[in-house]
């Protein structure tokens, strides 16, 4: 029987729209120092393996994974980097522990988005070079196409999507980490300049810089740790067919299947009854609604009414994105999922301050790898 | 072709077929530009190069002097403690003689990249740079060298503010 795995330490660097004063290495050192202090571990003695998540084109250095050890205390230790989202890196770390390969594992993900001078070119470079790129479309067009079909199939509206933006940016005002907290109304969102209809400028999360580091431990190692453990109850991840010509445009099937895997592992039959809150991907406004439905938190087509009725507000019956989500906090490239897990850990420890979900015992964090991908991951955390 | 095979199946293509448009092609590239933030440690390192000086960071945990400087010690995993000024002299740790440039262009005059341990830094800490004023045949591991700087007006806070490192002649 594999050992249970807990997150025993979390650390962050301040999230900002730009961070000209520090290098990515200094940002990682800051987040790592906080995480190790939180867990009460010395990375040079107590950590057996390190898992990072990064993408060479975001960093501007090929084979970027070679540059990570020093600032994590990982020199001359087992280190690996995966591509994907930070939650996939957490899954990788959990598997290292469950297979008995390591007892204490560190996970790191960061965004130094502001280092990129041509981010839109790099994003477009992710499109198919023969069939899609010659049309000259921006990668966010993929979100516009998806939003159109999703609204058509679900019956949800642009107005309800605008309410998601207002809710999340408003909730972010309670989060000291958040870069984009604001008091805006759904009308402000609808009045913003259109980008890729039905998307407008305010429907898309804006990028931010920042880093998250987490310490994971096997149950048998947890008693030596200072931090309050938050247990990993289940996880899953999934990638749909990539083709823009024939993909599933209405439903987030990747999210549904990733969640089913995680629910099975955690023994969750009714997500709404068995979870107290969720941090869901909201890289674009409609994504929060689409993901609520994919994760069976509500029935298909019901998510819009929920946001309209305030069910998913911090003081509602089922808070979604108490952190403020990507819309309020900022999009952090691969570190986006780790931010969602960070918020989930704080909520379960009862350390979320003014945005605390009262009595939270079990929470879910979900990520999507942004356009043009169809990859998502889900992790379920609980306190003892 | 080979002894056994005189005719490969399929259609052979020449570069003229591509140049003259007889082959369907799609051209693509990426405009990938970055403005990397140097950070506290490397930012100061470059600023000092502009002033004709080499600096390092000292770690009071392991008492090492680290160059290029960093704000954290990778061995102790703690913040480093102080700036230390170094000499602009050092010892060749290893070298190569490059007859080919980074883009595979053959050089008529070879270059001599070397790793130089800088005096005042901990053993093994130094700079990757070029050697100059020396016959490639004369270069040895252990050779003593000194930085040859660009004129102050030409320096821009870059690793190339040092032109190259030249041998320290005995008695000179
Ligand atoms: Zn040290």
């Amino acid at each position: 029987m594999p050992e249970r795995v807990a997150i025993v330490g979390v650390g962050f660097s301040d999230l900002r729209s730009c961070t000209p004063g520090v290098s990515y290495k200094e940002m990682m050192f800051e987040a790592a120092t906080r995480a190790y202090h939180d867990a009460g571990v010395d990375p040079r003695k107590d950590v057996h393996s390190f898992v990072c998540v990064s993408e060479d084109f975001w960093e501007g250095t090929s084979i970027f994974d070679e540059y990570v050890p020093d600032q994590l205390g990982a020199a001359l230790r087992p280190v690996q980097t995966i591509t994907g989202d930070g939650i996939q890196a957490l899954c990788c770390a959990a598997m290292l522990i469950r297979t008995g390969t390591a007892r204490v594992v560190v996970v790191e993900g960061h965004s130094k988005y502001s280092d990129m001078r041509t981010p839109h070119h790099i994003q477009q470079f992710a499109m198919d070079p023969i069939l899609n790129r010659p049309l000259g479309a921006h990668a966010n067009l993929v979100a516009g196409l998806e939003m159109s079909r999703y609204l058509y199939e679900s019956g949800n509206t642009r107005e309800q999507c605008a309410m998601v933006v207002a809710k999340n940016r408003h909730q972010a005002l309670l989060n000291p980490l958040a870069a984009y907290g604001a008091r805006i109304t759904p009308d402000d969102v609808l009045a913003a300049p259109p980008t890729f209809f039905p998307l407008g400028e305010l429907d898309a999360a804006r990028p931010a810089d920042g880093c998250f580091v987490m310490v994971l431990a096997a149950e048998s190692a947890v008693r030596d740790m200072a931090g309050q453990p938050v247990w990993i109850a289940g996880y899953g991840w999934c990638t749909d067919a990539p083709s823009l010509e024939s993909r599933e445009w209405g439903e987030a099937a990747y999210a549904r299947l990733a969640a089913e895997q995680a629910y099975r592992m955690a023994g969750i039959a009714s997500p709404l009854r068995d979870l107290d809150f969720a941090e869901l991907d909201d890289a674009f406004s409609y994504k929060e609604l689409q993901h609520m439905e994919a994760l069976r938190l509500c029935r298909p087509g019901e998510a819009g009414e929920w946001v309209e009725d305030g069910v998913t507000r911090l003081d509602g019956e089922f808070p979604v994105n108490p952190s403020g989500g990507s819309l309020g906090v900022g999009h952090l490239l691969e570190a986006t999922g780790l931010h969602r897990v960070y918020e989930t850990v704080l909520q379960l420890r009862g350390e979320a301050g003014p945005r605390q979900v009262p009595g939270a015992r079990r929470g879910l964090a979900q990520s999507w790898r942004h356009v043009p991908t169809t990859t998502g991951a889900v992790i379920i955390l609980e306190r003892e | 072709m080979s002894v056994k095979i005189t005719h490969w199946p399929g259609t052979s293509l020449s570069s003229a077929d591509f140049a003259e448009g007889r082959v369907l092609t799609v051209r693509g590239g990426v405009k990938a530009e970055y403005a990397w933030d140097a950070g506290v440690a490397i930012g100061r390192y470059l600023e000092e190069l502009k002033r004709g000086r080499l600096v390092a960071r000292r770690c009071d945990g392991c008492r090492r002097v680290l160059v290029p400087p960093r704000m954290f010690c990778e061995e102790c995993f703690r913040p480093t403690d102080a700036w230390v000024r170094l000499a602009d002299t050092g010892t060749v740790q290893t070298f190569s003689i490059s007859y080919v440039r980074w883009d595979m262009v053959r050089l008529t005059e070879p270059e001599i990249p070397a790793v130089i341990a800088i005096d005042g830094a901990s053993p093994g800490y130094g700079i990757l740079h070029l050697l100059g004023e020396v016959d490639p045949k004369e270069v040895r591991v252990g050779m003593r060298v000194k930085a040859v700087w660009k004129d102050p007006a030409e320096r821009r806070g870059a690793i190339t503010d040092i032109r190259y490192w030249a041998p320290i002649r005995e008695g000179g």
Side-chain angles (χ1 to χ4, degrees):
Chain A
M1 185 72 183
E3 278 199 82
R4 287 202 302 161
V5 181
I7 297 176
V8 291
V10 289
F12 65 92
S13 75
D14 287 316
L15 308 183
R16 297 280 183 271
S17 58
C18 65
T19 48
V22 289
S23 66
Y24 72 85
K25 289 182 183 174
E26 290 160 358
M27 222 164 64
M28 284 168 69
F29 179 73
E30 183 187 345
T33 301
R34 284 200 175 103
Y36 301 155
H37 177 76
D38 189 34
V41 297
D42 175 347
R44 304 302 285 153
K45 296 196 188 92
D46 308 323
V47 176
H48 308 124
S49 205
F50 297 80
V51 182
C52 297
V53 57
S54 70
E55 194 75 59
D56 292 358
F57 271 104
W58 297 139
E59 307 293 340
T61 301
S62 56
I63 323 179
F64 175 78
D65 46 292
E66 287 294 309
Y67 291 87
V68 299
D70 290 9
Q71 57 272 24
L72 293 175
L76 291 172
R77 301 288 188 277
V79 181
Q80 63 184 311
T81 290
I82 65 152
T83 55
D85 174 79
I87 292 180
Q88 288 169 288
L90 282 172
C91 297
C92 180
M95 289 189 291
L96 281 171
I97 294 171
R98 286 164 60 85
T99 54
T101 309
R103 292 174 69 226
V104 180
V105 182
V106 162
V107 171
E108 182 274 343
H110 66 270
S111 159
K112 198 60 159 128
Y113 190 98
S114 69
D115 273 0
M116 278 186 280
R117 294 184 61 184
T118 53
H120 301 287
H121 292 257
I122 288 162
Q123 221 180 351
Q124 207 232 5
F125 201 53
M127 309 273 278
D128 183 285
I130 295 171
L131 296 177
N132 303 147
R133 264 187 251 161
L135 299 171
H138 190 284
N140 281 0
L141 165 70
V142 174
L145 295 170
E146 188 178 59
M147 184 176 180
S148 273
R149 183 71 197 186
Y150 168 68
L151 296 185
Y152 170 79
E153 281 185 21
S154 67
N156 292 324
T157 64
R158 277 188 73 209
E159 287 71 20
Q160 291 164 333
C161 294
M163 288 174 193
V164 170
V165 181
K167 166 181 79 74
N168 289 0
R169 296 202 54 182
H170 200 263
Q171 263 163 218
L173 287 170
L174 296 175
N175 184 351
L177 272 187
Y180 298 108
R183 226 171 271 283
I184 59 168
T185 66
D187 285 340
D188 295 332
V189 180
L190 293 167
T195 49
F196 306 93
F197 182 86
L199 282 176
E201 238 167 44
L202 292 180
D203 283 289
R206 291 161 71 191
D209 292 355
C211 179
F212 285 91
V213 172
M214 298 185 183
V215 183
L216 277 67
E219 188 164 16
S220 58
V222 165
R223 59 177 164 274
D224 305 329
M225 306 280 170
Q228 185 190 337
V230 167
W231 298 95
I232 297 177
Y235 49 77
W237 67 97
C238 183
T239 298
D240 199 351
S243 162
L244 294 181
E245 292 75 9
S246 54
R247 70 166 61 171
E248 178 56 70
W249 283 105
E251 187 216 358
Y254 59 87
R256 171 170 52 82
L257 293 168
E260 275 174 18
Q261 191 186 338
Y263 291 154
R264 229 177 4 255
M265 194 169 159
I268 288 178
S270 164
L272 191 62
R273 190 195 61 208
D274 297 339
L275 297 167
D276 298 309
F277 66 96
E279 279 284 320
L280 301 185
D281 176 85
D282 61 334
F284 298 96
S285 56
Y286 72 95
K287 276 296 195 185
E288 180 171 307
L289 303 180
Q290 190 193 32
H291 287 145
M292 282 167 62
E293 293 170 4
L295 268 58
R296 286 198 286 123
L297 295 170
C298 60
R299 277 190 288 273
E302 213 174 51
E305 275 169 49
W306 277 36
V307 70
E308 215 171 321
D309 296 344
V311 176
T312 53
R313 280 201 330 226
L314 189 51
D315 56 359
E317 292 117 86
F318 190 86
V320 172
N321 287 326
S323 70
S326 291
L327 288 161
V329 168
H331 197 270
L332 300 164
L333 304 176
E334 303 84 5
T336 297
L338 294 182
H339 164 258
R340 296 184 187 290
V341 172
Y342 174 81
E343 175 72 12
T344 306
V345 167
L346 291 193
Q347 291 285 354
L348 295 173
R349 284 180 178 178
E351 293 173 0
R355 60 183 196 288
Q356 180 66 45
V357 175
R361 298 190 56 83
R362 198 188 266 164
L364 176 150
Q366 178 251 342
S367 61
W368 166 57
R369 259 184 107 189
H370 213 279
V371 292
T373 83
T374 50
T375 294
V378 169
I379 192 164
I380 295 162
L381 303 176
E382 63 191 10
R383 66 182 160 97
E384 207 68 79
Chain B
M1 301 303 121
S2 67
V3 179
K4 289 185 179 166
I5 301 171
T6 57
H7 182 74
W8 292 103
T11 308
S12 61
L13 294 173
S14 69
S15 53
D17 292 321
F18 288 89
E20 289 156 27
R22 287 192 291 273
V23 179
L24 296 175
T25 57
V26 176
R27 291 182 68 85
V30 63
K31 186 174 165 191
E33 290 176 7
Y34 304 85
W36 301 278
D37 295 320
V40 180
I42 299 301
R44 172 80 183 268
Y45 183 59
L46 297 175
E47 198 180 301
E48 295 287 350
L49 284 174
K50 194 173 180 186
R51 299 160 75 182
R53 310 204 295 215
L54 285 161
V55 291
R57 285 288 290 180
R58 191 185 70 222
C59 171
D60 288 343
C62 57
R63 301 197 163 270
R64 292 183 310 159
V65 175
L66 309 169
V67 68
R70 60 215 70 177
M71 301 314 289
F72 46 82
C73 174
E74 72 276 13
E75 203 44 67
C76 307
F77 199 77
R78 59 189 292 284
T80 50
D81 299 280
W83 290 99
V84 178
R85 182 145 171 218
L86 303 176
D88 66 350
T89 52
T91 306
V92 172
Q93 300 296 293
T94 185
F95 68 95
S96 177
I97 302 172
S98 295
Y99 292 92
V100 179
R101 214 167 58 180
W102 67 271
D103 53 359
M104 292 308 289
V105 171
R106 193 153 272 281
L107 297 165
T108 41
E109 286 295 313
E111 289 182 343
I112 314 170
V115 176
I116 299 152
I118 298 175
D119 294 344
S122 288
Y125 284 82
I127 191 169
L128 168 63
H129 217 273
L130 299 168
L131 300 184
E133 295 177 31
V134 61
D135 188 323
K137 288 194 281 293
E138 304 293 316
V139 180
R140 298 284 179 270
V141 168
M143 184 182 228
R144 298 280 298 151
V145 291
K146 182 174 169 58
V148 177
W149 296 84
K150 281 184 179 166
D151 290 336
E154 282 180 68
R155 293 184 209 139
R156 353 173 349 256
I159 196 80
T160 47
D161 287 354
I162 296 173
R163 271 186 219 289
Y164 53 80
W165 294 66
I168 300 173
R169 311 282 174 202
E170 272 182 50

